[in-house]
Amino acid sequence: MRNRELLLLWIIIPLLTSCITTDNFKVINTETFGPGLLSTDSIATIAVFNRDYNAPGADTFYYRDAANEKVVKDTLVKLKELSNTCTDALADYLRNSGYFKAVINFRDSLNDPLIAQNIVQREKMQNRPDYDACVFLDYMSLRDELMTNSYYFNNQVISSFPEFENSTMMETVDTWLRWRIVYKNDSSKHSYRRIDNLFYGNSVNNNLFGSDDNHRKLLKNAAGSLGESFANELIPHWQKTSRIYYHSGNPQMHAAEKKLVLEDYIGAAEIYRRLTTNKNQNISAKASYNMALICEIEGDLEAAMDWVTRSVQLAKRYDYQHASRCDEYIKLLKKKKEEIEAQEKLLFQNAAN
C-alpha cells in the first residue's frame, strides 16, 4: 500500500508542477501598430466641418496668470479662429496620410449665414451625401494657466515633468473637445469626447513665452496639436498597448527581461532566441512566447504567429491555460495582419490614382 501511494505521488507531482510552468507572467505597456477609428478600406472621401457653435467671438478669452495672481483678458484671442486651426490641422493630417482620395475642409462654413442661408441648406451640407464620412468638431474649450517659480511649480509640476526642469515659466492648457462622425448611408452618429492637458515650458518652447503675441502662438499650437491628435486616432497608427510576457528565475530569462523592459528589443531577442532551444520546456515555451511579443512590436506579425505556435508546441500538453492564451494571441495577430494588409492595399491604390 505504501509503495502504491508513493508511486501515485510521483505521478501527481509532475502534473501539478507542469500546470504552473507558464503561469509566471507580467504585463508590459508598449506601442504596437493598429487600426484607427475610420474604416480606411471603405472610406475614400471625407468632409471636415467646424460646427463649434459655442465658440464665442472676441473679448471673451481669459487666462490665469498664477505668477501675478490675476486673471488676464486677451481680446485678440478668438476661439473661432482656434477651432478653425484645429479642424485645419485635422484635415491636413488626414490628407497627407495618403489613406483617402479626397479630404475637403469646409471649416466653419455651416456657421456662416452668407453660405448657409437657411436651415434646409445647412441640413443638406451637414449630411453631405457625396462624402463617405463627415467629421465635425462640435465643441472646443481651452483654459490655460501661466506659472512661474513657486513652491508648487518647483516641487509638484517640475517633479512630474522632468523635461521642463530648466523652465522658469510653464503654461498648462486644459482642453475639452467633442467630435462627431457621420457615415454615408448610416443614420447613427458617433460622438467622441477628448479631455486632455497640454504642457509648455520655456526651456523647451522658448519662442512661445514672453509676450501676448507668443501666448497667442502657444494657443494656436495647442489647437493644432489637438486636431492632429484626433486625426491620428482616425487612421492606422502606433498606439499604447498592454501585452503579457513571461518571466522566470532563470538568470538568462531575467537578463532578457531587463532589456525588454528598457525597450532594448534587439538585445532581449538575442537572449530569448537562444533560450527557445533550452532543454527545459518551461523555459523554451516562455522564451518563444516572448519572441512573439518582440516580433509584434517590431512589426513582423508572420514571425510572431510562428513563435506563438512554437510556444504552444513546446509547453506541456495539459497546460490548457497557456494554450488558450496563445490561441487568443494568434487570433489577435491574424486580425491585425488582415487589417494592415487591407490598409496597405488601399494606400497602393490611392498612390496609383
Side-chain angles (χ1 to χ4, degrees):
M1 185 68 178
R2 179 71 176 171
N3 291 336
R4 291 183 62 185
E5 290 176 352
L6 288 173
L7 180 61
L8 182 61
L9 185 61
W10 278 109
I11 295 174
I12 291 175
I13 287 176
L15 287 173
L16 292 177
T17 55
S18 296
C19 287
I20 63 171
T21 55
T22 47
D23 278 353
N24 297 328
F25 64 88
K26 294 181 181 179
V27 176
I28 185 172
N29 294 319
T30 183
E31 286 192 343
T32 61
F33 193 73
L37 297 174
L38 291 176
S39 178
T40 52
D41 59 337
S42 60
I43 295 176
T45 56
I46 295 180
V48 178
F49 296 93
N50 172 19
R51 291 191 61 222
D52 187 9
Y53 295 131
N54 296 314
D59 306 329
T60 55
F61 191 86
Y62 299 85
Y63 70 93
R64 183 170 181 267
D65 184 348
N68 298 304
E69 298 183 349
K70 65 179 182 179
V71 176
V72 180
K73 180 171 71 173
D74 192 335
T75 60
L76 296 181
V77 174
K78 296 179 175 59
L79 288 179
K80 181 176 288 188
E81 291 181 1
L82 292 177
S83 59
N84 272 331
T85 297
C86 185
T87 50
D88 289 347
L90 178 135
D92 290 342
Y93 194 99
L94 294 180
R95 190 178 296 116
N96 293 331
S97 71
Y99 282 105
F100 311 101
K101 289 184 177 179
V103 178
I104 310 301
N105 183 13
F106 288 92
R107 306 188 91 211
D108 60 347
S109 58
L110 291 176
N111 301 340
D112 190 337
L114 297 178
I115 297 176
Q117 297 180 358
N118 53 58
I119 295 178
V120 175
Q121 286 178 305
R122 284 199 296 270
E123 290 299 319
K124 183 178 179 181
M125 287 191 71
Q126 288 179 28
N127 294 329
R128 299 305 304 181
D130 295 334
Y131 296 93
D132 296 320
C134 298
V135 180
F136 298 92
L137 174 60
D138 284 340
Y139 180 78
M140 183 177 78
S141 172
L142 302 179
R143 293 186 303 176
D144 62 332
E145 180 175 354
L146 177 66
M147 294 177 288
T148 59
N149 287 330
S150 67
Y151 178 83
Y152 173 75
F153 176 76
N154 293 326
N155 293 278
Q156 299 295 324
V157 178
I158 298 298
S159 62
S160 300
F161 303 96
E163 62 269 31
F164 297 124
E165 63 181 353
N166 295 321
S167 292
T168 57
M169 300 177 69
M170 188 171 182
E171 188 153 349
T172 63
V173 184
D174 299 330
T175 68
W176 199 103
L177 288 82
R178 185 173 67 245
W179 298 91
R180 181 165 52 92
I181 300 177
V182 178
Y183 297 97
K184 186 177 182 180
N185 302 322
D186 183 357
S187 59
S188 58
K189 299 176 183 179
H190 306 266
S191 296
Y192 304 90
R193 295 182 181 183
R194 293 294 180 267
I195 300 174
D196 203 354
N197 293 316
L198 305 180
F199 300 90
Y200 295 86
N202 64 345
S203 66
V204 179
N205 315 98
N206 187 54
N207 60 324
L208 301 180
F209 287 84
S211 68
D212 289 341
D213 183 53
N214 284 345
H215 176 250
R216 288 186 285 274
K217 290 179 181 178
L218 187 150
L219 292 174
K220 185 175 181 179
N221 182 283
S225 296
L226 293 169
E228 290 183 357
S229 176
F230 188 65
N232 182 59
E233 292 184 50
L234 297 179
I235 60 177
H237 60 284
W238 288 95
Q239 53 192 330
K240 293 183 178 179
T241 308
S242 295
R243 291 283 188 266
I244 70 165
Y245 70 93
Y246 287 108
H247 66 99
S248 168
N250 178 284
Q252 294 184 65
M253 286 286 289
H254 186 63
E257 180 182 3
K258 283 185 176 180
K259 293 181 180 294
L260 178 66
V261 172
L262 293 174
E263 299 182 1
D264 179 7
Y265 302 123
I266 295 177
E270 289 176 352
I271 301 175
Y272 283 134
R273 183 182 289 274
R274 292 195 300 268
L275 292 171
T276 59
T277 58
N278 193 287
K279 293 180 179 180
N280 185 323
Q281 287 180 294
N282 178 23
I283 298 297
S284 58
K286 289 179 177 181
S288 296
Y289 189 95
N290 292 352
M291 279 296 298
L293 170 63
I294 293 174
C295 287
E296 184 198 1
I297 293 173
E298 293 296 316
D300 192 343
L301 301 183
E302 197 71 46
M305 286 185 280
D306 289 342
W307 281 115
V308 179
T309 302
R310 177 179 171 84
S311 181
V312 176
Q313 295 169 346
L314 288 169
K316 300 294 185 180
R317 68 178 184 273
Y318 29 74
D319 194 343
Y320 302 114
Q321 186 177 12
H322 176 65
S324 175
R325 188 175 296 132
C326 289
D327 184 57
E328 290 299 317
Y329 194 18
I330 289 175
K331 289 179 181 178
L332 182 150
L333 292 170
K334 284 183 177 179
K335 181 180 179 181
K336 190 172 178 179
K337 184 172 180 289
E338 291 171 356
E339 291 172 340
I340 291 176
E341 286 177 347
Q343 291 153 3
E344 289 176 346
K345 181 179 179 181
L346 180 66
L347 279 174
F348 179 79
Q349 292 174 344
N350 288 346
N353 293 333

